[in-house]
Amino acid sequence: MTLWLVLPGRHNFTNLARYGPISDRTHRSWAQKPVPWVQLNSTLVLQAQDQQTLRCGGILGVDAVFIPKYGNHTPDLASYWSGCQGQSVRGLEGTCVTWIDPATHQPIPLSITQTPATLPVGQSRVDFYATVTLNTIAQLPDQLKKQVQAVVGDAYYAKLNFVARVVDEGQLPFIGKMRKDANLKHLFTGPRTGKPGRPRQYDGKVSLCDFSRWDAIPWADESMVYTVVAYSVSLKRQVRVVTVVWPGSSSRRMEVLFSTSTTMTAATIIALYRARFSMEFPFRDAKQFAGLSGCQSRQVEALHSHWNMALMAVSATRLSQLKHQRASPLVFSMEDEKRRAYNAFFAERILSILTQEQTEQKCEDLLADLLSLGVKAA
């Protein structure tokens, strides 16, 4: 882990061998071995909770991260959506499930899995995302599984084949975002007529322009919050819908959120969904400073190991900083931490030379070896 932070330049096996005592061949062999990443990262979360740097209770954020990759021989190269470019781009994609503390908005990625380019007949990428999410939930320790409040995803995951599996198989509520033209129906709460036939269930279509039949809640940021329990036609279940409306001069801006738990309050739904965005920060830091998009291997196992190692390095660094900044809000800079790690590594190399009694010739050889640390050519 320390070597991963110290490493300048590309994070590949050759560069790891330049700065560490292990050969690149050994690194390549280790990268092929399976590692229980969910259990390792869950241990980080539990330790942080014991040290009171994270609060008990959290949500599982689900999102896909685009990873640029070129060439013709890398497995599962295909077109995936890139949020930075706003279009589908050829490369790789990883599906990541992240533990998020809603109180501090601190994200800890639990595991990232490569999205396959081709899937079995009848299965879509949404089905694959649901499978990855359920596998991660199944691998959580019981102590952490009991603390999960909900699974949270953006509007892309508000689909029947994802929500139904998370709620029914995962036994967890799902919080997401709906379209502004979502097909919703009011529930009929009037008295029964006593006539034969099926009792009336619905009482008209829900309007997202007229909130007269919604419960209004004043909000702090000059917006209005409206909530109602309705039936979602696309999800085939009752949901609590929360609409946040910001008044504007010409047109009002709105955000339609929902939860499959109809007893969840509107304030909780808004707070948990807004906490979801913090999972984007480990992706950014891992790409810029931990080599998430710099793996040069063409083996599926090595790619999986590299991506998870990059995200775990960011998580361990973040928690270390959070531990030393309990009294104030966390000011986290992955670039600064990477620089400190390299400075400490280089200082230890210098001190290891000074502690030895060496002749002038041996000292010159050691200094030459120190100055050539990490060079690419002799």
Side-chain angles (χ1 to χ4, degrees):
M1 183 69 69
T2 302
L3 183 59
W4 198 273
L5 288 176
V6 165
L7 205 63
R10 294 183 179 274
H11 288 68
N12 53 34
F13 302 127
T14 304
N15 215 16
L16 285 169
R18 291 192 184 111
Y19 287 86
I22 302 173
S23 67
D24 61 329
R25 189 172 182 177
T26 303
H27 283 293
R28 295 177 195 275
S29 176
W30 284 355
Q32 304 294 323
K33 298 180 180 179
V35 178
W37 295 106
V38 176
Q39 288 84 346
L40 287 175
N41 289 296
S42 298
T43 303
L44 285 179
V45 175
L46 292 173
Q47 288 179 351
Q49 291 179 350
D50 292 339
Q51 297 168 356
Q52 298 183 350
T53 53
L54 292 179
R55 308 284 181 84
C56 290
I59 60 175
L60 294 179
V62 183
D63 202 3
V65 53
F66 175 78
I67 299 175
K69 187 73 173 180
Y70 306 99
N72 298 317
H73 302 286
T74 302
D76 294 318
L77 268 173
S79 293
Y80 301 97
W81 179 260
S82 171
C84 294
Q85 301 185 39
Q87 61 182 352
S88 294
V89 184
R90 185 171 174 80
L92 302 178
E93 183 186 77
T95 303
C96 186
V97 180
T98 303
W99 176 272
I100 303 172
D101 182 357
T104 61
H105 285 207
Q106 297 301 326
I108 307 296
L110 297 175
S111 177
I112 181 171
T113 305
Q114 185 177 358
T115 304
T118 56
L119 293 165
V121 178
Q123 186 177 6
S124 66
R125 286 184 182 175
V126 177
D127 296 317
F128 174 77
Y129 300 150
T131 301
V132 171
T133 304
L134 292 173
N135 289 341
T136 304
I137 295 172
Q139 295 178 56
L140 287 176
D142 292 337
Q143 185 179 353
L144 206 59
K145 191 181 298 184
K146 295 176 182 177
Q147 301 180 28
V148 180
Q149 300 177 30
V151 177
V152 186
D154 58 18
Y156 181 83
Y157 299 92
K159 295 179 173 62
L160 176 63
N161 47 352
F162 184 89
V163 175
R165 292 188 62 189
V166 169
V167 176
D168 299 336
E169 298 179 32
Q171 298 296 309
L172 288 171
F174 179 79
I175 297 175
K177 190 174 183 179
M178 283 185 167
R179 293 165 54 106
K180 295 180 182 179
D181 59 349
N183 191 0
L184 303 169
K185 294 181 179 180
H186 284 288
L187 302 179
F188 180 74
T189 57
R192 294 190 178 184
T193 62
K195 297 179 180 180
R198 183 180 182 182
R200 185 177 178 183
Q201 291 182 297
Y202 310 119
D203 191 17
K205 187 176 176 66
V206 175
S207 173
L208 293 174
C209 297
D210 179 14
F211 297 100
S212 59
R213 300 181 64 180
W214 298 55
D215 297 327
I217 305 173
W219 210 247
D221 54 357
E222 298 184 357
S223 62
M224 283 296 297
V225 172
Y226 302 92
T227 181
V228 69
V229 176
Y231 178 81
S232 172
V233 176
S234 62
L235 299 179
K236 298 182 181 346
R237 66 180 62 240
Q238 294 183 16
V239 295
R240 174 166 290 280
V241 185
V242 179
T243 302
V244 186
V245 181
W246 290 270
S249 56
S250 58
S251 62
R252 57 184 181 180
R253 182 167 57 94
M254 70 170 58
E255 187 178 37
V256 185
L257 309 178
F258 76 95
S259 171
T260 57
S261 174
T262 57
T263 59
M264 191 175 292
T265 64
T268 301
I269 294 172
I270 294 173
L272 296 184
Y273 185 81
R274 290 182 175 176
R276 183 205 69 87
F277 185 77
S278 61
M279 71 180 297
E280 304 291 343
F281 298 126
F283 299 157
R284 177 200 63 187
D285 293 334
K287 284 183 176 181
Q288 293 180 356
F289 305 109
L292 177 63
S293 56
C295 182
Q296 296 180 341
S297 176
R298 296 184 297 187
Q299 302 296 324
V300 175
E301 297 81 4
L303 286 169
H304 181 76
S305 177
H306 182 102
W307 293 354
N308 280 278
M309 189 64 188
L311 289 173
M312 188 175 182
V314 174
S315 299
T317 307
R318 178 181 289 272
L319 290 177
S320 177
Q321 276 292 95
L322 188 62
K323 181 180 178 181
H324 295 91
Q325 296 185 20
R326 291 184 188 175
S328 59
L330 176 62
V331 180
F332 177 72
S333 172
M334 187 65 187
E335 183 179 12
D336 290 344
E337 290 305 305
K338 189 175 177 69
R339 175 58 58 186
R340 290 191 185 98
Y342 181 81
N343 292 343
F345 173 77
F346 199 71
E348 288 180 4
R349 293 293 292 264
I350 295 176
L351 292 175
S352 65
I353 295 175
L354 297 178
T355 55
Q356 304 176 21
E357 293 184 3
Q358 303 288 352
T359 62
E360 182 178 356
Q361 182 60 41
K362 289 184 178 180
C363 188
E364 289 180 358
D365 295 339
L366 289 172
L367 285 174
D369 181 64
L370 181 64
L371 294 176
S372 63
L373 175 67
V375 297
K376 298 180 180 180

